[in-house]
Amino acid sequence: MHQVLKLNQGEISRISEYNPLDLFSGSSDRIHKAIKALFTTPQNNFRIFRNGSLIFGGLGGGTKNTNFMDSESFEHSIEGLIQVDDGLHTASFQQLLSETIFRSGVLDRLVEAQKLDQLDIEGAIHAYYNIVSQPCKVCRDLGDSELSRMYLSLHSISLEESLKIVREYLIAATAKDCSLMISFRPREDGDPGSAHNSVFLKSTNQSFDYKVNFIDLDLKPLKNMVYYYELDQKIVSCYTQMEKMGHGPSDFS
């Protein structure tokens, strides 16, 4: 839904083929599908560096379809890393990345933090207004509607409960917007071994040590709550308008 808004605002030139639900599915096949989709439409979600230099993906979403390096150039750039026949380097690298994500279980920890958001921004925003001791602008705009009555009870909870809701929402928002960095290094001996942080790529008969790090973990500030709510409303409004016009996301690919 956010992709539709970005397209409407000219931030991207096409809807991404990447579906986060595939990446977080815990299924090897679906993770592989997500990685392949990121190669097709990396936007600002996917970048590959070699020895510190960007070799695939851009530095922002942008409206251009071109990547920093096209697929053919990327294929040649990893020839010394992935030892397979010409034309198979990219597919093998995708498999390596997919296998590492699947076997490491690193996304399981991330999704637990994301699940701390129990009410979504449409609920958490009411707790925010409790904390800042201001009249709830959301309830004011909703008027005497069914939605307003549904959220009315959130203005009766304690300050401690409100703080918990907003704190957990911001932790979840941070976990949804952080970056995952995976570093690879081929094992010199090629031994598949049983090292905890290594993965064996059957298609190339190679073993790789890997290291996983999360970055951009600074907690989102309290003042962002209003921005998140307003963005959510824009996303819903844009998507609703698209549906009224009889369009689906695939129409914009």
Side-chain angles (χ1 to χ4, degrees):
M1 292 172 70
H2 198 177
Q3 284 279 304
V4 172
L5 177 64
K6 286 183 176 181
L7 183 69
N8 185 264
Q9 294 179 334
E11 293 181 25
I12 56 175
S13 59
R14 58 179 293 193
I15 295 290
S16 175
E17 296 182 20
Y18 162 65
N19 185 344
L21 294 179
D22 288 330
L23 189 68
F24 285 87
S25 66
S27 161
S28 179
D29 290 341
R30 290 184 64 186
I31 292 172
H32 193 201
K33 178 183 176 183
I35 296 301
K36 290 174 68 176
L38 284 169
F39 265 84
T40 303
T41 47
Q43 295 184 5
N44 65 335
N45 297 316
F46 187 65
R47 302 181 185 95
I48 301 174
F49 296 80
R50 185 167 187 189
N51 297 328
S53 298
L54 181 67
I55 62 171
F56 187 83
L59 293 176
T63 56
K64 296 182 179 180
N65 284 321
T66 54
N67 300 321
F68 184 84
M69 176 177 283
D70 59 41
S71 299
E72 184 176 350
S73 298
F74 176 74
E75 175 78 16
H76 292 306
S77 74
I78 59 172
E79 286 180 350
L81 178 68
I82 305 290
Q83 298 171 2
V84 289
D85 294 336
D86 290 345
L88 299 176
H89 295 89
T90 300
S92 295
F93 183 82
Q94 291 173 355
Q95 189 65 50
L96 171 64
L97 187 53
S98 304
E99 282 290 314
T100 302
I101 291 172
F102 175 70
R103 293 182 182 278
S104 68
V106 64
L107 294 182
D108 296 340
R109 288 177 283 161
L110 186 62
V111 80
E112 286 305 311
Q114 294 177 353
K115 286 180 178 179
L116 287 173
D117 171 21
Q118 298 289 324
L119 300 178
D120 200 2
I121 188 59
E122 291 181 319
I125 190 65
H126 298 276
Y128 163 79
Y129 280 109
N130 293 344
I131 294 170
V132 297
S133 300
Q134 293 179 7
C136 181
K137 296 179 182 179
V138 176
C139 288
R140 180 198 65 191
D141 294 340
L142 289 174
D144 187 27
S145 65
E146 184 178 344
L147 269 178
S148 178
R149 291 190 293 273
M150 183 174 71
Y151 289 120
L152 190 61
S153 61
L154 286 170
H155 293 292
S156 301
I157 63 178
S158 67
L159 177 60
E160 184 179 354
E161 290 174 298
S162 296
L163 286 168
K164 182 176 184 295
I165 289 171
V166 172
R167 185 187 305 113
E168 291 184 345
Y169 176 84
L170 292 174
I171 291 172
T174 302
K176 292 172 186 176
D177 197 36
C178 70
S179 297
L180 172 64
M181 181 179 290
I182 304 177
S183 304
F184 292 103
R185 182 176 61 188
R187 300 189 72 175
E188 295 297 331
D189 55 9
D191 179 15
S194 58
H196 177 65
N197 290 337
S198 69
V199 62
F200 180 66
L201 191 59
K202 291 182 180 179
S203 60
T204 68
N205 199 36
Q206 287 177 276
S207 291
F208 295 83
D209 292 325
Y210 67 85
K211 184 181 293 185
V212 178
N213 291 291
F214 290 110
I215 56 177
D216 303 326
L217 289 174
D218 293 337
L219 187 64
K220 302 298 183 183
L222 180 64
K223 64 181 181 180
N224 279 19
M225 293 294 290
V226 174
Y227 164 77
Y228 289 139
Y229 180 78
E230 292 175 348
L231 176 61
D232 186 72
Q233 294 303 295
K234 288 178 183 177
I235 291 171
V236 172
S237 176
C238 183
Y239 197 84
T240 301
Q241 287 298 317
M242 180 198 71
E243 288 191 319
K244 286 181 179 178
M245 294 169 62
H247 295 306
S250 60
D251 298 329
F252 300 95
S253 298

